[in-house]
Amino acid sequence: MDRQKLKYLVPALGLMMTACGGSSDNNITGNGDDEQADKGYNQKVVDARAQTQYLNLATGNTVSEDGDWHVAFNRTSVQLNSGESGNGNVVGAVGDEQAGLYNASGEPDLNAFVGATAEGELDHLKESFVEPSTWKSDGVVYAFGDAEDWSVYGAGGVISEVPDIGYLVRSAEGDSYARMRVEDFDFPTREGQGIQSFNLAFEVQAAGTTQIVGPAIHFTEPTDYDGGNACYDFDTGATVDCATSDAWDVLIGFSGRDWYLKTNSGPSGSGEGGALGPINWAELSTYTSATIDSNGDSLARAYSPDTTGGLFTDKGWYEYNLQGAHKLWPNFRVYLIDSDSEDAAAPVYAVQVINYYGIDGNSGQPEIRWKKVNLTTEGN
């Protein structure tokens, strides 16, 4: 789903559920056999529960990270071999938005989603598509989301905080947590001085405990702050030097044309940090634990680290919690994957994610189908 549609939900909770939304009864685990050739497309279940799986669309085989791969899967995450994710030239674009599953305001149409099946949505995997006007390679994806998830551009070019949302955050050490809220953010973009001030409030769940404990501690701009990056260790309640310390848990900053919140994880840092959210503050403020939900189930797998991605982050392949149940529903979007943007003769594939739950009912096993397609110019 689009990141804007993740607001006020807890999307990663769906990773832990075993119920299936929009399933397929075909669990072919490879391609190239007669049955798939007759169908005109390839289909594969990728077991991405425990580690990233790298798929070559030409052969249908998974390969090593340093092998010849096009698309990588790790639970709900999908990456292309390009940019920040790999050394290839794989780029992508949306071929079919599946607009029929959404209403005029862009919200999912519950009746349409409930009635959608993998078989019924197969006709969207066509033989040819109009060539996209732009293609996208992979960049950094923050666990806190895009800046637009937690900040808003207002009058006079001033960017401020989005009210009434918050996050759960995992520390760099991976053993303590906090409930975090951006209480104030003041970035007057037209003054050319970077971020002017901020106030992030944390209520901490210490290592070895299961309870969030107040009162809140506050991370505000240091006295020598220059409008760029600032880092905080919520275990000690102290600002730390981003350049010389690995002990930070949350980084807030501005560089170039971007402003961001980072966790100490993935491409952002060497730690085991992560975040969950954004979550509506009215709901999040009732949480008593950052590691156990109201049903007594673990939230450990719900946290996301900073990672890399692009197309599948901006235009996601699923919706969540459509019937009040923490499960994931594929939207059957079709993505166009150019296997080598530097080679005009390289094949382009149409890819559709049709399921997330394996035949054992467990999550983290995306099922995809794909075919090589032709691109046409508009109107042809």
Side-chain angles (χ1 to χ4, degrees):
M1 63 191 294
D2 299 354
R3 275 206 176 266
Q4 290 298 316
K5 302 214 172 46
L6 287 171
K7 289 185 177 180
Y8 313 130
L9 298 176
V10 191
L13 292 180
L15 308 185
M16 300 180 295
M17 307 307 292
T18 58
C20 174
S23 65
S24 168
D25 59 2
N26 188 339
N27 289 299
I28 296 172
T29 56
N31 81 331
D33 57 26
D34 292 340
E35 182 179 1
Q36 295 203 44
D38 291 342
K39 288 186 173 184
Y41 61 89
N42 305 296
Q43 191 161 320
K44 188 179 185 74
V45 176
V46 181
D47 189 346
R49 289 174 289 183
Q51 63 184 9
T52 303
Q53 300 286 351
Y54 302 89
L55 179 65
N56 183 303
L57 294 173
T59 66
N61 298 322
T62 53
V63 299
S64 63
E65 182 179 3
D66 59 359
D68 184 14
W69 61 276
H70 301 112
V71 188
F73 300 86
N74 189 316
R75 302 194 69 84
T76 59
S77 172
V78 185
Q79 298 170 319
L80 301 180
N81 189 354
S82 62
E84 298 290 339
S85 295
N87 58 11
N89 299 311
V90 181
V91 293
V94 175
D96 190 326
E97 289 272 9
Q98 283 285 10
L101 296 183
Y102 296 86
N103 60 29
S105 62
E107 296 299 319
D109 182 322
L110 178 58
N111 291 331
F113 263 90
V114 171
T117 64
E119 182 178 358
E121 302 303 317
L122 178 59
D123 61 336
H124 293 271
L125 201 68
K126 301 179 295 186
E127 297 292 335
S128 65
F129 291 82
V130 174
E131 183 167 2
S133 58
T134 59
W135 296 87
K136 188 177 184 66
S137 59
D138 274 12
V140 175
V141 177
Y142 301 122
F144 287 113
D146 295 333
E148 292 80 6
D149 286 332
W150 55 269
S151 65
V152 59
Y153 189 90
V158 176
I159 299 171
S160 59
E161 74 282 357
V162 172
D164 303 325
I165 65 165
Y167 295 84
L168 296 177
V169 189
R170 185 172 60 211
S171 69
E173 293 74 21
D175 58 2
S176 58
Y177 301 81
R179 175 167 49 205
M180 188 195 90
R181 187 179 188 184
V182 182
E183 293 191 343
D184 180 71
F185 185 72
D186 185 9
F187 181 11
T189 60
R190 296 176 186 174
E191 295 184 10
Q193 302 298 318
I195 300 168
Q196 181 169 302
S197 65
F198 58 84
N199 183 356
L200 277 60
F202 296 84
E203 295 167 278
V204 179
Q205 179 177 310
T209 70
T210 59
Q211 297 293 311
I212 298 172
V213 177
I217 57 177
H218 295 267
F219 174 32
T220 59
E221 69 280 358
T223 55
D224 59 348
Y225 184 56
D226 62 1
N229 293 342
C231 290
Y232 191 67
D233 178 355
F234 62 67
D235 288 316
T236 62
T239 301
V240 297
D241 190 317
C242 299
T244 62
S245 174
D246 292 328
W248 61 273
D249 301 315
V250 173
L251 182 155
I252 189 169
F254 163 72
S255 179
R257 310 184 83 174
D258 300 320
W259 61 103
Y260 37 74
L261 280 169
K262 301 180 181 182
T263 67
N264 194 337
S265 62
S268 299
S270 59
E272 299 179 19
L276 172 59
I279 309 168
N280 187 288
W281 186 253
E283 176 186 348
L284 183 59
S285 62
T286 68
Y287 285 31
T288 59
S289 174
T291 50
I292 301 173
D293 70 14
S294 58
N295 296 319
D297 296 321
S298 173
L299 290 174
R301 290 187 176 180
Y303 286 82
S304 298
D306 288 13
T307 184
T308 63
L311 173 64
F312 288 84
T313 302
D314 296 340
K315 294 291 185 179
W317 59 268
Y318 65 89
E319 293 290 346
Y320 168 78
N321 202 32
L322 294 181
Q323 292 182 311
H326 296 307
K327 67 178 181 179
L328 181 153
W329 300 74
N331 59 19
F332 302 104
R333 253 181 199 139
V334 177
Y335 302 89
L336 301 177
I337 308 300
D338 184 341
S339 58
D340 188 347
S341 61
E342 300 297 316
D343 180 1
V348 174
Y349 300 93
V351 175
Q352 194 177 41
V353 185
I354 62 173
N355 189 21
Y356 184 60
Y357 305 91
I359 57 175
D360 56 4
N362 290 322
S363 63
Q365 302 176 75
E367 183 171 3
I368 66 168
R369 59 190 178 199
W370 73 98
K371 66 193 301 181
K372 188 160 63 172
V373 296
N374 298 314
L375 299 181
T376 65
T377 58
E378 191 79 47
N380 284 357

